[in-house]
Amino acid sequence: MELLASLAAEERWLFPAFLVMYAAIYCVGQLFMFRRWAPRQRLDGSSCLISLFHGTPAALAAAGAILALPAGFRSFAAPNARLQDHVLDYSIAYFTMDLLHYLAFLPGDVLFIAHHLATLFVFLTCRYMVRHGAYALLVLLVLAEVTSLLQNVWTLAGIWRDQSPAAARVYGALSPPFYVLYTLVRGVAGPLFLLKMTVFYLSGQAVDVIPWWVRISWIVVVGTAIAVSNLWIWNLWKELFRERNQATEKAKKDT
């Protein structure tokens, strides 16, 4: 709480410092932590590393920024508070750094590039253009990043599961709880909050502070992101059940 209080009192623009921090973490991953990994694994590991430094801290900071405000200011059309702007800058810096990573080394990964560009559009318009509506985006940030720690550990284990039996065991053990948590957040909580957000913005209650095209674009971007996330986790569930069925059939044949 003391850290959040100091951030709330901080008047300087923190985006440059956050971006330098993520760049330094990325370089540590590329040049030191993962330098013995294969090129593609080193790239994925470095991306996961900066994600680890973003996800859980961003979720906690976003939750703190929401709770720090009086209940009356937790509105879809409320002006952004200074602490909320700092949290947005923290995430903008992360998505900028990860976008540069994909553009420089993985330009063919169109889905991730499109996701990062769309996310940056929403955060940047909220932070620097309309300066209202941070409450809605911070709630969505909490929902998006609450699974981040588990997802990044699962991803790193997945990178090495073909080469390391220990990594394969970690990947197998983490898959079911990660899939369940991700499904609950992205398949239940996310759509419900998006519905509430959509009803508010389409009602015209924010018409004086957030232009209609910004409100519509936020709804479209968030809705698309939730739909793609649910498609992704659905495919993972199908793969998990297929692998379990194959393992069961193999065990029957061996007995």
Side-chain angles (χ1 to χ4, degrees):
M1 294 304 293
E2 291 181 4
L3 177 60
L4 290 178
S6 64
L7 273 177
E10 180 58 67
E11 297 183 359
R12 291 176 297 175
W13 186 41
L14 297 182
F15 170 78
F18 291 147
L19 185 60
V20 169
M21 180 196 75
Y22 283 119
I25 294 168
Y26 183 84
C27 289
V28 168
Q30 282 275 27
L31 301 176
F32 299 101
M33 289 184 66
F34 310 126
R35 63 188 178 91
R36 298 184 185 278
W37 290 19
R40 179 55 196 258
Q41 292 174 332
R42 185 167 66 248
L43 290 173
D44 290 341
S46 300
S47 180
C48 278
L49 184 63
I50 60 172
S51 181
L52 281 167
F53 278 85
H54 170 255
T56 302
L60 293 174
I66 293 169
L67 296 175
L69 294 175
F73 288 88
R74 297 172 198 167
S75 163
F76 292 108
N80 299 352
R82 183 184 299 160
L83 178 57
Q84 293 176 327
D85 283 343
H86 289 328
V87 176
L88 288 174
D89 278 340
Y90 187 77
S91 287
I92 290 169
Y94 160 72
F95 282 106
T96 300
M97 186 64 229
D98 208 38
L99 176 62
L100 293 174
H101 155 80
Y102 278 101
L103 291 175
F105 300 112
L106 302 168
D109 207 332
V110 177
L111 185 61
F112 269 98
I113 291 173
H115 170 270
H116 284 18
L117 286 172
T119 302
L120 282 171
F121 167 79
V122 172
F123 282 174
L124 287 169
T125 51
C126 176
R127 169 68 174 92
Y128 295 104
M129 181 182 170
V130 300
R131 297 183 178 275
H132 288 73
Y135 164 75
L137 302 192
L138 293 186
V139 172
L140 290 168
L141 182 61
V142 172
L143 294 175
E145 300 299 343
V146 72
T147 59
S148 177
L149 178 60
L150 192 57
Q151 181 173 350
N152 280 296
V153 175
W154 172 83
T155 299
L156 289 171
I159 292 173
W160 282 100
R161 63 172 172 162
D162 292 334
Q163 291 83 25
S164 168
R169 288 193 295 271
V170 171
Y171 181 87
L174 289 181
S175 291
F178 167 57
Y179 295 176
V180 169
L181 179 60
Y182 195 95
T183 301
L184 290 173
V185 172
R186 303 294 182 101
V188 180
L192 288 176
F193 186 79
L194 174 61
L195 177 62
K196 184 177 180 181
M197 172 180 160
T198 300
V199 170
F200 182 90
Y201 284 141
L202 293 184
S203 70
Q205 296 182 64
V207 67
D208 294 331
V209 292
I210 305 177
W212 68 267
W213 66 268
V214 173
R215 285 177 278 133
I216 297 299
S217 64
W218 287 1
I219 293 168
V220 171
V221 168
V222 173
T224 302
I226 289 176
V228 172
S229 296
N230 279 286
L231 179 62
W232 179 71
I233 197 65
W234 171 250
N235 287 330
L236 288 177
W237 275 117
K238 290 195 298 183
E239 181 182 350
L240 177 65
F241 285 121
R242 183 170 61 250
E243 290 175 353
R244 294 289 172 89
N245 289 334
Q246 290 174 349
T248 301
E249 292 297 324
K250 186 176 183 299
K252 289 180 180 179
K253 291 178 181 179
D254 293 339
T255 56

